[in-house]
Amino acid sequence: MTDQTPALELEDLTMHYGPVRAVDGVSFAIRPGQVTALVGESGSGKSTVGRCVVRLVEPTAGTVRIAGTDITHLSRRVLRKHRDDVSIVFQDPAGSLDPRMLVGDVVGEPLRIGARRLPRKERDRRVAEELGRVGLRPAVARRYPHELSGGQRQRVSIARALISSPTLLIADEPTSALDVSVQAAVLNLLADLQRDIGFACLFITHDLSAVEYLADEIAVMYLGQLVEMGSRERIFARPRHPYTQALLAAAPVADPVEQRSRTRVLLGDDLPSALDPPSGCRFRTRCPLAFDRCATEVPPPIPVGDGYAACHLVRPDGTGPDVRVSSGHEVGA
Amino acid sequence: MSTSTAARPEEPAEQVLDVRDLSVTFRTESGTVSAVDHVDLSLARGEIVGVVGESGCGKSVTAMSLGGLLPGSARVTGSARLHGTELVGASEPVLRKVRGRELAYIFQEPMSSLNPVLSVGRQIAEVLQVHEGLSRKQARARAVELLALVGIPSPATRVDTYPHQLSGGMRQRVMIAMAVACGPQVLVADEPTTALDVTVQAGILEVLRDLRDRLGTSILIITHDLGVIADIADRVVVMYAGRVVERAPVHELFARPRHQYTAGLLAASPTPGRHAGTDRLQEIPGLVPVLSTQPDACTFADRCHAADDLCRGSAPPLEPQGGGGTSAAGHVAACWHPSTETRTLAATNQEPAR
Ligand SMILES: Nc1ncnc2c1ncn2[C@@H]1O[C@H](COP(=O)(O)OP(=O)(O)OP(=O)(O)O)[C@@H](O)[C@H]1O
Ligand code: SF4
Ligand code: SF4
Ligand SMILES: [Mg+2]
């Protein structure tokens, strides 16, 4: 597994919508068969990263490599050849499935055109197989998306995404619109499929609790940049960036005893604008530990275990403070 | 007292809201929809009660029916008394007065309830001028105080900003300030943090707790998130397909869920840092049904692993659940074959009453 070409490699990916710096120099790689969770709050730019990878938007700068091929500079025509390598599943299955198409045609569409084109009969067989794999009855193929529940629709999107046997799946908040019981089923399904098929996955989410079952690695994004990266075990056990720590502290746990005894870390509500991000460390306007240098110097990534954290307070040996134990810090309120 | 079935030794201080036998049906093109079925619910002064359940379980319809906020296609029966005033069937002028002063609402999306062309200060001041008869100047000063109360930094400047200039979290704080402007006894918060990021949610929950502590406001908080319930609720009401299926003090509910639906919801909720080693979440198969009539059966039976003919042939009544000692006081569940599971909460020895 070690010296393989990454399934996805981002180098200095930058995406500016006019003056809005949605993504500002993001670099990371996903090995074949690996699941990386990209975690951040609304407006952090995480979905834009996913959109750049499937070229729904043209990045302003930087490179996206899929299985070693730089796709950022490919023409649309050549790109089509590589398109089957990457699939995407969106948050809102209702909005991403064509309401006038039968489920069977939605799922089979990737096999109707392009390199993986199959004749009708063969295609129908593959659709039935794929529906079975995501836990739907073959009869569902003859229904319309609006006749299905949210969880069933999300299964349909997953079946469609996987029918072309992609090497990389982008899942953009695939369970955020679902009830917990249904969310559990969809997360289990994704985890099972990933283990069985072995595709690499970029799992984009605002919900740290949803990634624990799936992710090998976690990348934390704030205002267009990665602030911390590491193995799932390390991020949960020893988060080093104050923002990661705050995110973990803020996600409520379904245990009243534990929840009520936790140190509260309140960040204040005012997320700075991506139009004019703060100087130095972008998190400094909400960081409980910010000090002078944070306004003037951009914190470099400091190696922590197998990853890094970009904070001035992380020491060269990878240790650092934790906002969750120094209570009483409150900023902006 | 909330029900005739619940054995509750110590009466909670003062009942502010008492809902009994509340049922709601809707007339729709495809026939009648039974959304809420004989719901009993009470709220004491200064109490925070959480209502939890999946989408479509009737949480919002229950909440909206209290203030007469349902559309004309809704038929509401039963009783909901707010400090002795009957709300079910009350006239619109009475309800409007109640909504202004005694019963206030906040919703998931504050932007839809705020006027985009008025500064937030003007909007709060208007409420105070209409309902409290304050002068314009007094109202503005009070608006600044209220913004401070809900944790908005530099309230004296923020009072002149417009809703679109504020972040989602700040807007929700403004909504709360407006809702509590006239010192309501009951605040109904329907998914107040669902659209917000977790770091922002934490602040909003803090504001709600603070209001209860400082002003003694009773809060009915509706959420599908058991983490939010664990954080803020004193008591919990679990709804399924329009019915109350379980009701218990918060620690009791999380430690000893009795209804199979509650047990399933708890098992399906991911909790960060708790699941190292396990790689599966528990699922609840199937969906919340949309009912045209209420059957004499447990409506969860189609999804329940413990269902049998009894469950399918007769509706389980809400009955007191023993086994938890004094902490089980007020614990009722409507299940023929209750779960016997005891879940270990973190450091259960901290639990006040075992
Ligand atoms: N105006 C209406 N007309 C007809 N049916 C309605 C109407 N409003 C709600 N319902 C139905 O009543 C039931 C309960 O809905 P309600 O909105 O109370 O659920 P909820 O528990 O608040 O769900 P969510 O978590 O999605 O907010 C649902 O079946 C819903 O479709
Ligand atoms: S660099 Fe400064 S502001 Fe940024 S996270 Fe570290 S301490 Fe906080
Ligand atoms: S009454 Fe029966 S079907 Fe309903 S929850 Fe209990 S065991 Fe399950
Ligand atoms: Mg609702």
Side-chain angles (χ1 to χ4, degrees):
Chain A
M1 276 290 203
T2 43
D3 55 9
Q4 284 182 46
T5 316
L8 172 68
E9 205 177 356
L10 303 182
E11 225 177 85
D12 236 358
L13 183 71
T14 301
M15 179 68 215
H16 293 177
Y17 297 103
V20 179
R21 294 153 75 173
V23 177
D24 229 358
V26 164
S27 307
F28 66 88
I30 306 181
R31 291 189 306 275
Q34 184 189 352
V35 181
T36 295
L38 184 59
V39 179
E41 295 180 285
S42 59
S44 61
K46 57 191 187 304
S47 291
T48 305
V49 169
R51 282 161 200 275
C52 288
V53 173
V54 292
R55 285 237 341 227
L56 280 171
V57 292
E58 291 295 323
T60 313
T63 312
V64 177
R65 267 185 229 101
I66 290 168
T69 309
D70 177 353
I71 63 138
T72 16
H73 305 105
L74 290 183
S75 72
R76 291 264 160 204
R77 261 215 2 256
V78 187
L79 182 68
R80 188 159 295 167
K81 274 218 316 252
H82 293 271
R83 204 171 58 176
D84 288 341
D85 292 338
V86 192
S87 291
I88 186 160
V89 173
F90 293 100
Q91 167 170 2
D92 172 20
S96 59
L97 300 175
D98 187 335
R100 292 154 308 180
M101 274 168 81
L102 287 170
V103 165
D105 294 332
V106 169
V107 173
E109 200 183 22
L111 302 183
R112 217 163 47 83
I113 38 167
R116 299 185 201 239
R117 191 168 192 286
L118 288 179
R120 172 100 219 179
K121 226 169 133 194
E122 181 70 353
R123 202 164 69 222
D124 287 349
R125 197 187 54 75
R126 286 280 293 112
V127 166
E129 196 178 288
E130 209 57 48
L131 287 174
R133 198 148 72 164
V134 299
L136 294 173
R137 272 171 280 117
V140 168
R142 291 187 302 277
R143 294 169 70 182
Y144 286 97
H146 68 86
E147 298 170 332
L148 305 179
S149 71
Q152 288 173 322
R153 277 199 293 262
Q154 200 53 289
R155 286 172 196 265
V156 169
S157 322
I158 294 170
R160 177 197 161 91
L162 296 182
I163 201 164
S164 53
S165 313
T167 52
L168 174 66
L169 179 72
I170 315 287
D172 189 358
E173 304 260 15
T175 60
S176 304
L178 306 173
D179 269 320
V180 305
S181 60
V182 183
Q183 168 181 322
V186 172
L187 285 176
N188 283 340
L189 174 69
L190 270 176
D192 291 346
L193 291 170
Q194 198 276 328
R195 265 188 294 269
D196 293 352
I197 306 173
F199 50 83
C201 179
L202 178 64
F203 188 89
I204 299 167
T205 181
H206 69 278
D207 183 3
L208 264 172
S209 63
V211 308
E212 211 179 355
Y213 296 83
L214 276 172
D216 301 304
E217 287 228 358
I218 295 177
V220 182
M221 200 165 171
Y222 188 80
L223 273 189
Q225 298 180 331
L226 293 190
V227 297
E228 180 156 19
M229 199 151 178
S231 69
R232 174 193 56 192
E233 292 77 9
R234 206 273 294 166
I235 295 286
F236 279 101
R238 284 179 294 118
R240 277 293 172 258
H241 197 279
Y243 178 62
T244 313
Q245 294 162 355
L247 271 185
L248 282 166
V253 298
D255 175 336
V257 178
E258 181 177 345
Q259 178 61 20
R260 285 162 206 225
S261 61
R262 296 165 89 197
T263 308
R264 297 191 191 273
V265 183
L266 294 181
L267 296 180
D269 298 353
D270 280 333
L271 205 80
S273 157
L275 273 169
D276 183 21
S279 62
C281 175
R282 292 189 175 185
F283 185 52
R284 73 177 161 83
T285 55
R286 298 172 81 203
C287 179
L289 306 179
F291 59 106
D292 304 348
R293 193 145 66 91
C294 305
T296 54
E297 278 176 51
V298 176
I302 309 292
V304 180
D306 45 357
Y308 64 83
C311 168
H312 290 310
L313 293 175
V314 177
R315 296 177 206 103
D317 64 356
T319 62
D322 193 324
V323 294
R324 296 171 299 174
V325 293
S326 36
S327 62
H329 286 289
E330 194 170 335
V331 163
Chain B
M1 185 152 85
S2 59
T3 69
S4 45
T5 43
R8 189 182 290 174
E10 358 89 60
E11 279 303 302
E14 182 194 343
Q15 291 304 324
V16 175
L17 179 70
D18 193 1
V19 175
R20 288 192 202 194
D21 275 340
L22 185 81
S23 297
V24 182
T25 55
F26 290 99
R27 271 178 286 110
T28 73
E29 278 173 33
S30 46
T32 309
V33 172
S34 168
V36 172
D37 180 40
H38 293 91
V39 160
D40 286 356
L41 176 73
S42 71
L43 196 54
R45 182 173 155 74
E47 190 180 32
I48 301 181
V49 169
V51 181
V52 70
E54 285 167 285
S55 189
C57 278
K59 308 183 295 292
S60 296
V61 171
T62 301
M64 308 275 265
S65 68
L66 302 177
L69 295 177
L70 293 173
S73 61
R75 197 176 101 84
V76 184
T77 58
S79 157
R81 291 181 159 272
L82 181 68
H83 250 311
T85 307
E86 179 58 60
L87 302 176
V88 174
S91 68
E92 186 49 33
V94 169
L95 287 170
R96 200 172 311 130
K97 205 161 147 242
V98 166
R99 284 199 303 266
R101 310 205 43 167
E102 290 157 64
L103 176 70
Y105 283 87
I106 53 174
F107 297 105
Q108 179 170 339
E109 198 14 87
M111 206 51 193
S112 55
S113 332
L114 288 170
N115 184 339
V117 300
L118 282 185
S119 72
V120 299
R122 273 293 335 128
Q123 298 187 52
I124 299 172
E126 240 165 46
V127 174
L128 291 162
Q129 286 172 262
V130 171
H131 289 287
E132 304 280 291
L134 297 191
S135 73
R136 204 174 160 125
K137 207 171 149 207
Q138 288 169 320
R140 185 188 155 90
R142 181 83 185 110
V144 174
E145 283 171 27
L146 284 162
L147 291 178
L149 178 74
V150 297
I152 292 187
S154 2
T157 347
R158 291 292 179 109
V159 74
D160 293 319
T161 55
Y162 290 84
H164 68 89
Q165 295 172 305
L166 298 173
S167 67
M170 286 296 161
R171 284 202 287 261
Q172 193 57 289
R173 285 174 196 257
V174 169
M175 274 312 298
I176 298 174
M178 240 162 105
V180 301
C182 303
Q185 292 160 348
V186 174
L187 179 64
V188 178
D190 190 350
E191 307 270 5
T193 59
T194 304
L196 303 174
D197 282 314
V198 284
T199 56
V200 177
Q201 164 172 286
I204 297 293
L205 295 176
E206 201 63 45
V207 170
L208 293 178
R209 218 182 336 262
D210 195 50
L211 284 175
R212 185 272 295 276
D213 294 347
R214 285 212 251 173
L215 310 178
T217 313
S218 308
I219 300 175
L220 191 67
I221 182 169
I222 292 168
T223 175
H224 63 278
D225 186 342
L226 284 161
V228 169
I229 294 280
D231 188 72
I232 198 171
D234 302 317
R235 281 197 303 128
V236 192
V237 172
V238 183
M239 285 190 75
Y240 185 76
R243 294 178 184 169
V244 171
V245 296
E246 186 155 13
R247 198 167 46 216
V250 67
H251 287 90
E252 171 70 11
L253 186 95
F254 281 83
R256 281 170 287 274
R258 285 299 169 252
H259 197 280
Q260 298 291 353
Y261 177 60
T262 313
L265 271 187
L266 281 167
S269 297
T271 293
R274 276 298 197 81
H275 297 271
T278 60
D279 55 2
R280 285 191 83 75
L281 285 157
Q282 202 158 314
E283 306 171 13
I284 306 176
L287 291 175
V288 179
V290 177
L291 302 169
S292 52
T293 53
Q294 289 290 337
D296 189 9
C298 174
T299 49
F300 186 59
D302 285 349
R303 306 174 70 188
C304 180
H305 65 90
D308 63 8
D309 290 346
L310 176 62
C311 308
R312 282 181 279 265
S314 115
L318 269 178
E319 284 185 330
Q321 303 294 310
T326 52
S327 71
H331 190 172
V332 294
C335 178
W336 289 123
H337 310 295
S339 161
T340 52
E341 171 197 22
T342 298
R343 304 171 78 246
T344 316
L345 303 184
T348 326
N349 54 349
Q350 288 179 15
E351 198 182 349
R354 288 194 63 189

